Amino acid sequence: METIKANSAFLCNYEVMQILQKLKDNTHKKHKREASLATVTYETVHYLQDTECKNQSAQKIQKFLEAMKKYKLTKVEKLMMVNTPPRTELEIQLIVQESEERLSEEDVQDIISIVSQHLLANDNSNT
Amino acid sequence: MFVLAEMKDVIRVNPEYFRQSLTDSITTLLNRKLANKVVLEVGLCIVLFDITNVGHSYIFPGDGSSHTEVKFRYIVFRPIIEEILIGKIRSCSREGVHVTLGFFDDILIPVNALQHPSRFDETDQAWVWEYPKEDGEKHDLFMDSGESIRFRVTSEFFEESLPTGPPGTDCTVQTVAPYRLIGGINEPGLGLLTWWETPDQEGEEDEIDDE
């Protein structure tokens, strides 16, 4: 076996969740499942269920990325925001390197509201 | 934290599986071979993403199986260095705090990367962040098992694991983790999620609206 490219693309938690769930639904119909595949999919889905990706959708993430275009953040920083949506200024500081220089205070507030609009569950009654 | 890795392999399909489609056989065999395993310098393999290229199949003399070269992409757990992840505390020891993500356990936050000052509580077997209060006293923040923790990935280590000996022999079984992550929580905002939660979640939203 050969590795051509160890990292050809990033996936966000939501995409992985979708793929694993589809796999789970499909394999129910087929009788046999591989033990190690079953373990890792079960555990990964279990982990992802506790993250914010269960409230996300492809459209929401797309809209979020559209809205974030003007802030000149790197791909990885945006990916982290999708995976662990920041709710506070402190969390943005952790995700964005040298955020004090790159983002003004208004930017930070705007990002928090964009995040809560697109990436977090809007329905507060459930939480 | 998840990436796609492009790989190439020759897949050997036994004749008994010729009745099912080649794609199905390849998918099954690749998942059997790689799922839940660590590939050196690649990461922890989760599941096959897609097959990008299927070459010609060959049959060699003396073997009825077909051999097919396939190129494929696999979903791999490989956090970026400096990435922020959320996990759960598995246990605490003198070495530091062991964190698990459920599907991946080999994450250590060493003592020098804990919040400062921290001490190890022998009776509770837990690390404690001695948060200094304004009046000079300190507030003990315990890091109990099972708590959610936010940490930054600071480095990764791949270890080549050797095959274990045949069953019944006294070969020393290697227990080295093939892929380890080292994390850190020595920055504001990192550590247990409860440490940084704003006491009033609803009030926070109002604040944003006001501004």
Side-chain angles (χ1 to χ4, degrees), chain B residues 117 130-139:
Chain B
E130 299 172 322
Y131 183 78
K133 282 197 280 193
E134 282 140 28
D135 52 10
E137 295 205 0
K138 57 197 182 191
H139 187 63

PDB file of all heavy atoms in Angstrom, chain B residues 117 130-139:
ATOM      1  N   PRO B 117      -0.884  27.959  38.306  1.00  0.00           N
ATOM      2  CA  PRO B 117      -0.247  26.777  38.900  1.00  0.00           C
ATOM      3  C   PRO B 117      -1.237  25.631  39.079  1.00  0.00           C
ATOM      4  O   PRO B 117      -2.372  25.853  39.439  1.00  0.00           O
ATOM      5  CB  PRO B 117       0.181  27.325  40.257  1.00  0.00           C
ATOM      6  CG  PRO B 117      -0.831  28.379  40.586  1.00  0.00           C
ATOM      7  CD  PRO B 117      -1.338  28.935  39.297  1.00  0.00           C
ATOM      8  N   GLU B 130      -5.002  25.710  40.650  1.00  0.00           N
ATOM      9  CA  GLU B 130      -5.148  26.610  41.809  1.00  0.00           C
ATOM     10  C   GLU B 130      -5.321  28.031  41.294  1.00  0.00           C
ATOM     11  O   GLU B 130      -4.370  28.790  41.181  1.00  0.00           O
ATOM     12  CB  GLU B 130      -3.931  26.478  42.716  1.00  0.00           C
ATOM     13  CG  GLU B 130      -3.770  25.078  43.251  1.00  0.00           C
ATOM     14  CD  GLU B 130      -2.464  24.881  44.002  1.00  0.00           C
ATOM     15  OE1 GLU B 130      -1.444  25.449  43.563  1.00  0.00           O
ATOM     16  OE2 GLU B 130      -2.462  24.189  45.020  1.00  0.00           O
ATOM     17  N   TYR B 131      -6.549  28.339  40.981  1.00  0.00           N
ATOM     18  CA  TYR B 131      -6.843  29.636  40.373  1.00  0.00           C
ATOM     19  C   TYR B 131      -6.704  30.735  41.420  1.00  0.00           C
ATOM     20  O   TYR B 131      -7.374  30.689  42.459  1.00  0.00           O
ATOM     21  CB  TYR B 131      -8.269  29.607  39.812  1.00  0.00           C
ATOM     22  CG  TYR B 131      -8.660  30.856  39.090  1.00  0.00           C
ATOM     23  CD1 TYR B 131      -8.213  31.090  37.798  1.00  0.00           C
ATOM     24  CD2 TYR B 131      -9.475  31.806  39.701  1.00  0.00           C
ATOM     25  CE1 TYR B 131      -8.564  32.238  37.122  1.00  0.00           C
ATOM     26  CE2 TYR B 131      -9.831  32.959  39.037  1.00  0.00           C
ATOM     27  CZ  TYR B 131      -9.374  33.168  37.746  1.00  0.00           C
ATOM     28  OH  TYR B 131      -9.718  34.308  37.083  1.00  0.00           O
ATOM     29  N   PRO B 132      -5.808  31.695  41.209  1.00  0.00           N
ATOM     30  CA  PRO B 132      -5.616  32.725  42.228  1.00  0.00           C
ATOM     31  C   PRO B 132      -6.773  33.715  42.251  1.00  0.00           C
ATOM     32  O   PRO B 132      -7.188  34.227  41.217  1.00  0.00           O
ATOM     33  CB  PRO B 132      -4.310  33.398  41.790  1.00  0.00           C
ATOM     34  CG  PRO B 132      -4.108  33.036  40.375  1.00  0.00           C
ATOM     35  CD  PRO B 132      -4.992  31.897  40.013  1.00  0.00           C
ATOM     36  N   LYS B 133      -7.289  33.952  43.454  1.00  0.00           N
ATOM     37  CA  LYS B 133      -8.366  34.935  43.590  1.00  0.00           C
ATOM     38  C   LYS B 133      -7.759  36.293  43.910  1.00  0.00           C
ATOM     39  O   LYS B 133      -6.589  36.406  44.276  1.00  0.00           O
ATOM     40  CB  LYS B 133      -9.333  34.508  44.703  1.00  0.00           C
ATOM     41  CG  LYS B 133     -10.277  33.415  44.229  1.00  0.00           C
ATOM     42  CD  LYS B 133     -11.472  33.279  45.141  1.00  0.00           C
ATOM     43  CE  LYS B 133     -11.110  32.477  46.382  1.00  0.00           C
ATOM     44  NZ  LYS B 133     -12.303  32.051  47.140  1.00  0.00           N
ATOM     45  N   GLU B 134      -8.577  37.316  43.772  1.00  0.00           N
ATOM     46  CA  GLU B 134      -8.048  38.675  43.971  1.00  0.00           C
ATOM     47  C   GLU B 134      -7.530  38.895  45.389  1.00  0.00           C
ATOM     48  O   GLU B 134      -6.558  39.620  45.596  1.00  0.00           O
ATOM     49  CB  GLU B 134      -9.135  39.711  43.658  1.00  0.00           C
ATOM     50  CG  GLU B 134      -9.309  39.917  42.170  1.00  0.00           C
ATOM     51  CD  GLU B 134     -10.765  40.061  41.797  1.00  0.00           C
ATOM     52  OE1 GLU B 134     -11.560  40.524  42.637  1.00  0.00           O
ATOM     53  OE2 GLU B 134     -11.111  39.698  40.655  1.00  0.00           O
ATOM     54  N   ASP B 135      -8.171  38.257  46.371  1.00  0.00           N
ATOM     55  CA  ASP B 135      -7.760  38.493  47.761  1.00  0.00           C
ATOM     56  C   ASP B 135      -6.546  37.656  48.153  1.00  0.00           C
ATOM     57  O   ASP B 135      -6.244  37.511  49.339  1.00  0.00           O
ATOM     58  CB  ASP B 135      -8.944  38.221  48.709  1.00  0.00           C
ATOM     59  CG  ASP B 135      -9.563  36.858  48.462  1.00  0.00           C
ATOM     60  OD1 ASP B 135      -8.957  36.081  47.701  1.00  0.00           O
ATOM     61  OD2 ASP B 135     -10.622  36.578  49.033  1.00  0.00           O
ATOM     62  N   GLY B 136      -5.837  37.101  47.179  1.00  0.00           N
ATOM     63  CA  GLY B 136      -4.621  36.366  47.502  1.00  0.00           C
ATOM     64  C   GLY B 136      -4.851  34.909  47.795  1.00  0.00           C
ATOM     65  O   GLY B 136      -3.921  34.113  47.784  1.00  0.00           O
ATOM     66  N   GLU B 137      -6.098  34.534  48.023  1.00  0.00           N
ATOM     67  CA  GLU B 137      -6.379  33.115  48.229  1.00  0.00           C
ATOM     68  C   GLU B 137      -6.490  32.423  46.892  1.00  0.00           C
ATOM     69  O   GLU B 137      -6.462  33.064  45.846  1.00  0.00           O
ATOM     70  CB  GLU B 137      -7.692  32.964  49.011  1.00  0.00           C
ATOM     71  CG  GLU B 137      -7.584  33.521  50.396  1.00  0.00           C
ATOM     72  CD  GLU B 137      -8.561  32.892  51.349  1.00  0.00           C
ATOM     73  OE1 GLU B 137      -9.320  32.016  50.903  1.00  0.00           O
ATOM     74  OE2 GLU B 137      -8.563  33.271  52.509  1.00  0.00           O
ATOM     75  N   LYS B 138      -6.596  31.107  46.952  1.00  0.00           N
ATOM     76  CA  LYS B 138      -6.727  30.409  45.674  1.00  0.00           C
ATOM     77  C   LYS B 138      -7.977  29.546  45.650  1.00  0.00           C
ATOM     78  O   LYS B 138      -8.453  29.074  46.679  1.00  0.00           O
ATOM     79  CB  LYS B 138      -5.477  29.589  45.391  1.00  0.00           C
ATOM     80  CG  LYS B 138      -5.168  28.603  46.462  1.00  0.00           C
ATOM     81  CD  LYS B 138      -3.734  28.126  46.357  1.00  0.00           C
ATOM     82  CE  LYS B 138      -3.482  27.093  47.431  1.00  0.00           C
ATOM     83  NZ  LYS B 138      -2.122  26.750  47.607  1.00  0.00           N
ATOM     84  N   HIS B 139      -8.473  29.379  44.438  1.00  0.00           N
ATOM     85  CA  HIS B 139      -9.704  28.643  44.246  1.00  0.00           C
ATOM     86  C   HIS B 139      -9.345  27.344  43.543  1.00  0.00           C
ATOM     87  O   HIS B 139      -8.733  27.370  42.481  1.00  0.00           O
ATOM     88  CB  HIS B 139     -10.646  29.501  43.385  1.00  0.00           C
ATOM     89  CG  HIS B 139     -12.000  28.925  43.250  1.00  0.00           C
ATOM     90  ND1 HIS B 139     -12.831  28.750  44.312  1.00  0.00           N
ATOM     91  CD2 HIS B 139     -12.656  28.464  42.157  1.00  0.00           C
ATOM     92  CE1 HIS B 139     -13.969  28.213  43.886  1.00  0.00           C
ATOM     93  NE2 HIS B 139     -13.882  28.033  42.576  1.00  0.00           N
TER      94      HIS B 139
END
